[in-house]
Amino acid sequence: QVQLVESGGGSVQAGGSLKLSCAASGFIFSVCGMAWYRQAPGKQREMVSSIRPDGITRYVDSAQGRFTISRDNAKNTLYLQMNSLKTEDTAVYYCATCWSASRGSYKYWGQGTQVNVSS
């Protein structure tokens, strides 16, 4: 079955960096688009960044210029390099894959990794 396992979360001071990883298995990694979402306490889940199989990327405005999404198809792993972190980046970060047009959302989700940014 499809599995997505996030890692790399933790606690960091504002201005610091973290690199999240999402190890994927159970599907053909290279043909599916992938994305990072986050959900802060009391807020709706939002998409942070996405990457298509052809490498085209998208970012939410608040992440543009600070975060970089990438994928290693040989390792079946998705990454999110986060620099210049701000307290408002504190959230649980999820990776997702395989867009479902019928659902209007990604079909598979990881369990999430917590990112805490302190001032």
Side-chain angles (χ1 to χ4, degrees):
Q1 72 274 23
V2 175
Q3 280 194 317
L4 299 173
V5 180
E6 301 96 336
S7 62
S11 296
V12 65
Q13 287 193 320
S17 298
L18 284 174
K19 186 173 184 178
L20 306 184
S21 300
C22 173
S25 62
F27 66 102
I28 303 175
F29 182 84
S30 61
V31 304
C32 280
M34 299 197 73
W36 287 99
Y37 280 73
R38 66 186 177 189
Q39 187 165 21
K43 293 188 177 181
Q44 286 191 330
R45 186 175 60 189
E46 68 169 347
M47 189 180 76
V48 177
S49 182
S50 65
I51 184 167
R52 296 179 357 181
D54 60 6
I56 300 297
T57 59
R58 290 175 56 194
Y59 297 91
V60 68
D61 286 347
S62 60
Q64 187 75 46
R66 299 188 298 124
F67 293 4
T68 303
I69 192 171
S70 61
R71 60 191 297 163
D72 186 334
N73 290 340
K75 294 183 178 180
N76 285 4
T77 302
L78 176 73
Y79 302 100
L80 185 68
Q81 177 67 48
M82 304 187 295
N83 298 327
S84 301
L85 282 161
K86 303 177 181 180
T87 55
E88 52 263 44
D89 294 318
T90 294
V92 178
Y93 284 71
Y94 301 90
C95 68
T97 190
C98 296
W99 181 261
S100 169
S102 60
R103 298 184 183 187
S105 70
Y106 285 92
K107 192 173 180 181
Y108 303 108
W109 295 80
Q111 292 300 306
T113 185
Q114 178 73 47
V115 171
N116 293 312
V117 184
S118 60
S119 58

